[in-house]
Amino acid sequence: MEKLLLIAVGSALVNNVVLSQFLGICPFLGVSKKVNTAAGMGGAVVFVITIASFVTSLIYKYILTPLGFEYLQTIVFILVIAALVQFVEMFLKKIMPPLYQALGVYLPLITTNCAVLGVALTNVQKSYTILEGVVNGFATAVGFTIAIVIMAGIREKIEDNEVSPALKGTPIVLITAGLMAIAFFGFSGLI
């Protein structure tokens, strides 16, 4: 149980996928304009990464490894992730149309979100068991959600304040992301 807790804290805070590993930057910057949209994207990413971690771990352990096809892991993982994102997209379109519209093009981009593939490959590289891989995936996605929601909250506040014309838009967002990365570096002493 202690190892699972260390994996969870390490993945969510210490090695935050966006602010420490710089994976998943596209949706992080693109969908972080409003807190509600960011939280919706975070929820979709939590679902996709958690399920992808479980399914890819099963496929790697019980299909690829016994058959000696470990070299196909990246291709297989991409196909699994693409299928899961299609499922999430259909679900949101049917059940939550406003969120589906708000996420727009960024929802299909979860397929190419390097954070999702990065977690699946990390689980294999660190030889995690299936349970450890799922915990790593869930915690990584929670860390992504924390980062994107904080960024969205800050961006909403920035819009209410005066910002130098030279820094408006992308420059202030990148400066904010850099400062958040520095702040998350403070968690490195936890583990």
Side-chain angles (χ1 to χ4, degrees):
M1 191 58 139
E2 183 180 323
K3 185 174 183 181
L4 293 178
L5 183 62
L6 288 174
I7 289 171
V9 171
S11 296
L13 298 175
V14 178
N15 297 316
N16 186 283
V17 71
V18 176
L19 301 173
S20 294
Q21 299 176 14
F22 305 110
L23 298 174
I25 296 291
C26 179
F28 175 71
L29 295 176
V31 185
S32 62
K33 293 179 182 171
K34 300 287 178 203
V35 172
N36 290 341
T37 308
M41 174 59 93
V45 169
V46 166
F47 177 79
V48 170
I49 289 182
T50 304
I51 300 300
S53 295
F54 177 70
V55 173
T56 56
S57 293
L58 286 176
I59 289 172
Y60 186 80
K61 183 173 183 172
Y62 294 112
I63 297 174
L64 296 179
T65 302
L67 296 175
F69 291 151
E70 294 92 345
Y71 61 91
L72 293 175
Q73 70 186 8
T74 304
I75 295 168
V76 171
F77 292 176
I78 289 171
L79 292 173
V80 168
I81 291 164
L84 287 170
V85 170
Q86 288 300 312
F87 172 73
V88 169
E89 190 171 0
M90 289 185 306
F91 176 79
L92 288 179
K93 189 174 187 179
K94 183 84 171 162
I95 305 299
M96 299 179 208
L99 179 59
Y100 175 79
Q101 292 293 339
L103 292 176
V105 71
Y106 293 101
L107 186 58
L109 281 177
I110 295 175
T111 302
T112 58
N113 185 342
C114 53
V116 182
L117 180 60
V119 170
L121 293 174
T122 298
N123 291 341
V124 170
Q125 290 171 350
K126 292 189 175 183
S127 301
Y128 284 154
T129 65
I130 293 171
L131 178 61
E132 290 170 347
V134 170
V135 168
N136 180 48
F138 178 76
T140 299
V142 167
F144 175 86
T145 304
I146 290 168
I148 196 170
V149 169
I150 290 172
M151 175 61 96
I154 292 171
R155 286 180 77 173
E156 284 182 359
K157 295 290 183 189
I158 288 173
E159 286 190 22
D160 296 337
N161 295 307
E162 286 187 33
V163 176
S164 170
L167 296 177
K168 281 192 187 255
T170 304
I172 195 68
V173 172
L174 293 176
I175 291 169
T176 303
L179 292 173
M180 285 177 62
I182 292 169
F184 267 69
F185 183 70
F187 289 121
S188 63
L190 284 176
I191 296 179

